């Protein structure tokens, strides 16, 4: 028996899925033309599944900063910050993020995944308790696996359930860290953060909010859900990523906790991996500047999100509860979702196929993410393609009759 034998079942179901059409988990673009278009199998394809919320991946000022850093500082740091030292850009970006969030401290990580993994697993020690939402991102679940503390899950977006669980733990002497997300990555739903903040206050717990999908999207100045609902003072740690609104790669955590910087010599996913290359730091710093200086990007994004959400909902598709930039369409079966995804791809629309067990409530989802860079016409084309494929596959029976 080979060491990979345990993946036999996974391999079989993967092959079965890929046999229906293209393999949704190894799409390879021939070229990327813009934040919203790529070439795929020789065809111009609309990109509607890239988390490129502000469309900054081709922003000229970001590219210029990146090129400048690349030429002046080289291709990479070739080591971690504790071993190889930091470049000025690392510190500049940390200062800029701390300033943006109005916090004392910031730590930059090589990915958002590592930010969650590192911060959460290091904050929660063996006598503490990590309390997470049941629909948490894999990086939070993996932090839960890595922590030496106890882990408690509460029902997704349910403040009463969180309250009950924290009350049961009230005699426990350790610290409690509650972790939620601003916008959830599969269905695009937002956390009831006001209610969570109240529960956290009453229980004397710490609160961490992962604003990966809400930074640059929600809030008066784009700081995320905590800003949008006015509870920033109750949030002890904000985690975010550069891989979505900032169009690069990397992650961060900001906090006002006085001793926060001690984590730099305690947090293994910070200490034992190479730091971000100067070019990535430079483009992220410039993208943050663009985010702050151009609220119009956020307005365009949100108008595009509403356009797509309402368009799909009006066609009769089952979409998530809120018109956020993540618009997910739930389909009755996995097979139908795979066929639908293939149909859209053939028609020139790329988005994400999300299947159980990676989805909440075992839903089969076509997950889209909207960008400020999409034109209204691109959004309308996407809606029309959904309608065409939906009719062809019989997912929209009412419309089959209407069309005949
Ligand atoms: N948190 C959430 C909620 C996410 O959706 C993601 C990425 N999809 C991450 C963290 C990790 O971000 P990164 O891509 O920067 O590793």
């Amino acid at each position: 028996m080979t060491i990979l034998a345990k993946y036999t079942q996974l391999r079989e179901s993967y092959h079965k899925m890929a046999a229906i059409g293209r393999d949704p988990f190894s799409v390879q673009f021939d070229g990327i033309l813009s934040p919203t278009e790529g070439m795929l199998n020789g065809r111009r394809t609309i990109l509607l599944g890239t988390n490129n919320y502000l469309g900054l991946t081709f922003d000229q000022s970001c590219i210029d900063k990146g090129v400048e850093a690349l030429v002046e500082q080289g291709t990479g740091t070739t080591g971690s910050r504790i071993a190889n030292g930091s470049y000025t850009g690392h510190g500049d970006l940390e200062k800029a993020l701390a300033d943006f969030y109005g916090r004392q401290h910031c730590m930059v990580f090589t990915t958002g995944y590592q930010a969650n993994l590192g911060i959460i697993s290091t904050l929660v020690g063996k006598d503490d308790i990590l309390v997470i939402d049941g629909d948490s991102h894999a990086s939070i679940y993996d932090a839960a696996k890595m922590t030496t503390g106890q882990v408690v899950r509460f029902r997704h977006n349910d403040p009463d359930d969180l309250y009950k669980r924290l009350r049961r733990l009230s005699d426990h002497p350790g610290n409690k860290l509650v972790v939620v997300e601003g916008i959830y990555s599969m269905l695009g739903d937002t956390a009831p953060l006001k209610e969570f903040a109240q529960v956290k206050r009453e229980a004397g717990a710490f609160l961490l909010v992962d604003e990966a999908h809400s930074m640059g999207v929600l809030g008066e100045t784009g700081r995320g859900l905590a800003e949008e609902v006015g509870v920033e003072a109750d949030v002890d740690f904000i985690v975010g990523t550069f891989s979505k609104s900032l169009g690069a790669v990397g992650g961060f955590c900001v906090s006002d906790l006085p001793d926060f910087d001690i984590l730099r010599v305690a947090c293994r996913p910070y200490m034992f991996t190479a730091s971000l290359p100067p070019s990535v730091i430079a483009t992220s710093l410039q993208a943050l500047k663009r985010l702050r200086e151009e609220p119009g990007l956020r307005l365009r994004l949100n108008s595009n999100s509403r356009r797509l959400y309402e368009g799909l909902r009006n066609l009769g598709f089952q979409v998530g509860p809120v018109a956020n930039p993540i618009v997910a369409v739930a389909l009755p079966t996995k097979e139908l979702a795979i066929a639908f995804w293939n149909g859209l791809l053939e028609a020139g629309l790329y988005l994400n196929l999300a299947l159980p067990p990676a989805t909440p409530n075992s839903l089969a989802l076509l997950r889209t993410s909207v960008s400020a860079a999409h034109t209204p016409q691109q959004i309308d084309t996407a809606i029309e393609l959904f309608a065409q494929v939906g009719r062809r596959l019989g997912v929209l029976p009412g419309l089959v009759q209407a069309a005949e």
Side-chain angles (χ1 to χ4, degrees):
M1 196 158 76
T2 89
I3 199 162
L4 295 178
K6 53 186 157 298
Y7 299 114
T8 302
Q9 211 185 340
L10 177 64
R11 191 188 309 114
E12 278 166 11
S13 59
Y14 188 14
H15 284 172
K16 220 161 84 189
M17 177 191 61
I20 297 179
R22 295 199 166 275
D23 177 349
F25 302 127
S26 57
V27 168
Q28 188 179 320
F29 295 99
D30 315 326
I32 300 295
L33 306 173
S34 75
T36 60
E37 279 191 313
M39 291 301 289
L40 194 56
N41 310 311
R43 192 187 209 296
R44 228 182 157 88
T45 299
I46 297 177
L47 305 178
L48 194 69
T50 58
N51 304 316
N52 196 350
Y53 297 127
L54 300 184
L56 290 175
T57 47
F58 281 77
D59 179 88
Q60 194 56 51
S61 70
C62 293
I63 291 174
D64 289 345
K65 290 287 182 191
V67 169
E68 196 182 297
L70 186 63
V71 171
E72 286 176 6
Q73 300 173 57
T75 52
T77 65
T78 63
S80 88
R81 290 171 66 183
I82 60 160
N84 288 23
S86 299
Y87 291 19
T88 49
H90 294 112
D92 292 345
L93 182 54
E94 284 174 341
K95 272 194 218 92
L97 284 161
D99 178 65
F100 178 50
Y101 280 97
R103 308 267 170 160
Q104 295 291 315
H105 309 283
C106 175
M107 270 170 79
V108 160
F109 289 77
T110 306
T111 65
Y113 174 89
Q114 283 161 300
N116 268 338
L117 189 70
I119 289 291
I120 295 169
S121 67
T122 315
L123 285 173
V124 180
K126 72 173 172 34
D127 299 324
D128 303 322
I129 304 178
L130 172 60
V131 187
I132 63 173
D133 186 290
D135 281 359
S136 289
H137 186 258
S139 54
I140 297 169
Y141 269 106
D142 290 354
K145 277 191 203 162
M146 196 163 149
T147 175
T148 47
Q150 188 186 332
V151 180
V152 172
R153 260 192 318 181
F154 61 93
R155 218 174 304 129
H156 175 55
N157 272 355
D158 188 338
D160 291 337
D161 195 40
L162 173 64
Y163 177 76
K164 257 190 274 169
R165 285 170 199 274
L166 284 173
R167 207 181 42 194
R168 266 184 234 148
L169 297 168
S170 58
D171 290 336
H172 192 291
N175 286 299
K176 287 122 204 160
L177 177 69
V178 176
V179 176
V180 298
E181 296 171 33
I183 294 179
Y184 279 83
S185 60
M186 285 295 145
L187 290 178
D189 49 334
T190 43
L193 200 53
K194 246 190 170 135
E195 291 79 357
F196 281 148
Q198 193 187 335
V199 172
K200 166 258 167 166
R201 267 197 314 273
E202 283 174 28
F206 290 88
L207 177 62
L208 181 151
V209 180
D210 176 354
E211 301 267 22
H213 293 276
S214 31
M215 176 194 195
V217 174
L218 299 179
E220 169 103 37
T221 67
R223 291 203 291 257
L225 181 64
E227 181 185 30
E228 171 113 350
V229 301
V231 298
E232 286 178 289
D234 292 307
V235 179
D236 303 282
F237 308 96
I238 289 180
V239 167
T241 172
F242 309 151
S243 74
K244 305 185 194 308
S245 281
L246 301 188
V249 65
F252 69 91
C253 178
V254 294
S255 177
D256 269 336
L257 220 66
D259 228 3
F260 184 72
D261 278 323
I262 192 64
L263 296 181
R264 290 185 197 271
V265 287
C267 176
R268 296 167 70 86
Y270 175 86
M271 297 160 69
F272 295 108
T273 195
S275 62
L276 284 170
S279 54
V280 171
I281 292 283
T283 67
S284 302
L285 189 55
Q286 179 62 17
L288 178 63
K289 193 160 177 273
R290 297 276 283 118
L291 181 162
R292 295 186 78 167
E293 287 174 359
E294 242 186 284
L297 291 174
R298 205 158 51 255
L299 297 179
R300 237 179 9 249
L301 169 67
N302 290 328
S303 144
N304 280 343
S305 307
R306 265 194 309 281
R307 194 178 187 97
L308 182 66
Y309 180 86
E310 281 163 16
L312 293 176
R313 193 186 53 186
N314 292 343
L315 281 173
F317 285 108
Q318 188 193 330
V319 289
V322 204
N324 276 328
I326 296 167
V327 182
V329 169
L331 289 166
T333 65
K334 211 162 93 170
E335 289 70 25
L336 210 44
I338 297 168
F340 209 124
W341 180 87
N342 274 287
L344 289 173
L345 199 67
E346 277 159 28
L349 180 63
Y350 172 77
L351 44 76
N352 314 124
L353 177 67
L355 300 174
T359 52
N361 304 321
S362 296
L363 286 167
L365 297 174
L366 297 173
R367 176 194 179 274
T368 71
S369 49
V370 176
S371 172
H374 283 120
T375 61
Q377 291 73 27
Q378 283 177 314
I379 302 286
D380 291 347
T381 302
I383 296 167
E384 178 51 31
L385 293 176
F386 260 95
Q388 283 173 16
V389 177
R391 280 179 207 130
R392 183 158 55 75
L393 294 178
V395 178
L396 295 175
L399 291 180
V400 171
Q401 280 169 1
E404 280 165 357

